[in-house]
Amino acid sequence: QVQLVESGGGLAQPGGSLRLSCAASGFAFANYAMSWARQRAGQGIEWVSGIDNDGHDMDYADSVKGRFTISRSNAKETLYLQMNDLKVEDTAVYYCRKGRRWNSLEEYDAWGQGIQVTVSP
């Protein structure tokens, strides 16, 4: 079955950086788009970024554009999110999600357990 396991979260200071990873298994990773989403405490899920199956097409939410970079290694079946210039408002649980198709940057049909990112002085 599809498994998505996030890692790399934790505590960072404002202006700092973190890199999230998502190890995928149970499906043909190279055939599907992937995305990241997040949920702040007490709020709904917010789409953060998506990438198509071969990494040529990427998109970002306005709130993270210019600060976050999504990437993937199909050889390692791993999705990444490099987060730079972190802000307190980036504090959230971050989820890795599997797209429905090769170009589904926002639509998804599976997600990981989530990982906490906390940005605090």
Side-chain angles (χ1 to χ4, degrees):
Q1 71 277 22
V2 173
Q3 281 199 313
L4 300 168
V5 180
E6 301 95 340
S7 62
L11 178 65
Q13 292 187 333
S17 298
L18 285 173
R19 188 196 197 200
L20 302 183
S21 298
C22 171
S25 61
F27 66 102
F29 182 77
N31 290 352
Y32 292 91
M34 298 291 294
S35 63
W36 290 96
R38 67 186 180 186
Q39 186 171 29
R40 298 186 182 98
Q43 299 187 23
I45 297 284
E46 174 191 18
W47 175 83
V48 172
S49 180
I51 186 168
D52 69 355
N53 69 311
D54 61 6
H56 289 165
D57 186 24
M58 295 157 279
D59 199 10
Y60 300 90
D62 287 344
S63 58
V64 306
K65 201 168 290 184
R67 300 188 298 120
F68 290 9
T69 302
I70 192 171
S71 62
R72 63 190 294 160
S73 168
N74 287 345
K76 296 181 179 179
E77 297 190 317
T78 302
L79 176 72
Y80 303 99
L81 185 68
Q82 178 67 43
M83 304 185 295
N84 296 331
D85 190 22
L86 283 163
K87 304 178 186 299
V88 172
E89 52 264 38
D90 293 320
T91 296
V93 176
Y94 284 73
Y95 297 91
C96 168
R97 306 194 305 193
K98 170 187 170 290
R100 291 187 179 276
R101 296 175 300 276
W102 68 273
N103 60 347
S104 302
L105 270 62
E106 296 189 36
E107 292 182 327
Y108 63 97
D109 57 14
W111 57 95
Q113 82 284 355
I115 193 161
Q116 179 70 45
V117 169
T118 301
V119 184
S120 179

